[in-house]
Amino acid sequence: MTELEIPSVMPKIISFLSSLLNRVAESNDLNKQLMIHQKISVFHGLTPPTIPIQSYLERIFKYANCSPSCLIVAYVYLDRFTQMQPSLPINSFNVHRLLITSVMVAAKFMDDIYYNNAYYAKVGGITTIEMNFLEVDFLFGLGFHLNVTPSTFQAYYAHLQREMLLMQPLNFVDSTLSLEKSLKAHLCFNEDESSTHQNQQQIAL
């Protein structure tokens, strides 16, 4: 059994990812400069959903029955998307649609068995047609860059582990985090930096 498959681990990951997304969304909601340059997309709802991000992510994980690794890969995809689409910052109007889409795409790429778009649409509370549009836009937004190397996966998972252990607000001066960029919806750190970051961890150990 891998660490991600331990029952007590996933609730912590879900809780932290939800907290991170919530903080990024709230920061971007308050950033008037971002609002000016923000592009409206298929991910943008007319009003913010009433369901909290954590409850939504818990619902997705419960009913989608995807592997635990899918949430980490979805996290990587969200980070890539926000870096490649700076005019589409994560906010309270689009975070839920981005979340359900990233998990669905991750499940399709990672798992041998997965549910179809119609099922994910029901889980996410949207129509199948909308789910199809979201998937296409998300894939193009990623430039179809879906592969996640083991080193990238471990770098993102290690970041989550550190933050869960600290259980403190994100460190605004940590060079491996781009929280300044997170005001533009950047969630973690550049994948190009992950190898350097891992080397630093090995030296520290």
Side-chain angles (χ1 to χ4, degrees):
M1 177 182 288
T2 65
E3 185 177 1
L4 280 173
E5 293 172 328
I6 299 173
S8 61
V9 172
M10 285 314 299
K12 294 178 182 178
I13 291 179
I14 289 172
S15 178
F16 178 75
L17 273 177
S18 302
S19 176
L20 174 60
L21 287 168
N22 192 60
R23 284 179 297 196
V24 171
E26 287 181 350
S27 295
N28 289 337
D29 286 344
L30 296 173
N31 192 322
K32 294 182 180 180
Q33 191 64 28
L34 270 182
M35 297 285 285
I36 296 173
H37 300 287
Q38 178 177 295
K39 183 172 68 175
I40 303 300
S41 71
V42 294
F43 299 99
H44 197 96
L46 295 176
T47 59
T50 56
I51 182 172
I53 294 174
Q54 181 165 338
S55 298
Y56 194 67
L57 187 53
E58 288 171 346
R59 174 181 170 82
I60 293 171
F61 187 73
K62 177 181 179 180
Y63 292 107
N65 200 31
C66 58
S67 65
S69 298
C70 276
L71 287 190
I72 308 299
V73 173
Y75 175 35
V76 176
Y77 288 169
L78 283 172
D79 198 26
R80 286 179 181 172
F81 187 87
T82 57
Q83 291 181 57
M84 297 178 70
Q85 306 298 325
S87 62
L88 295 176
I90 291 177
N91 56 42
S92 60
F93 291 87
N94 63 22
V95 61
H96 292 76
R97 286 176 174 82
L98 284 169
L99 194 51
I100 185 69
T101 309
S102 64
V103 173
M104 185 184 75
V105 172
K108 287 185 175 184
F109 190 77
M110 293 286 294
D111 295 347
D112 294 327
I113 300 174
Y114 52 83
Y115 292 109
N116 60 22
N117 289 26
Y119 183 84
Y120 271 95
K122 289 181 179 179
V123 172
I126 56 179
T127 67
T128 303
I129 293 176
E130 185 177 8
M131 189 77 259
N132 293 340
F133 278 120
L134 293 175
E135 180 183 29
V136 171
D137 271 43
F138 193 73
L139 289 171
F140 275 98
L142 287 173
F144 291 86
H145 181 202
L146 299 180
N147 187 49
V148 176
T149 64
S151 61
T152 296
F153 183 94
Q154 288 301 324
Y156 278 77
Y157 182 44
H159 167 66
L160 287 177
Q161 286 178 310
R162 287 198 311 277
E163 293 299 329
M164 287 187 294
L165 285 173
L166 292 173
M167 292 302 289
Q168 294 175 350
L170 291 175
N171 185 352
F172 283 79
V173 297
D174 188 344
S175 62
T176 63
L177 302 176
S178 296
L179 200 51
E180 182 180 350
K181 288 184 180 180
S182 82
L183 298 178
K184 297 182 180 179
H186 181 64
L187 297 177
C188 186
F189 47 86
N190 277 323
E191 292 178 64
D192 295 340
E193 298 172 358
S194 64
S195 58
T196 303
H197 178 66
Q198 284 188 316
N199 291 335
Q200 290 173 344
Q201 279 190 308
Q202 292 172 354
I203 292 172
L205 292 173

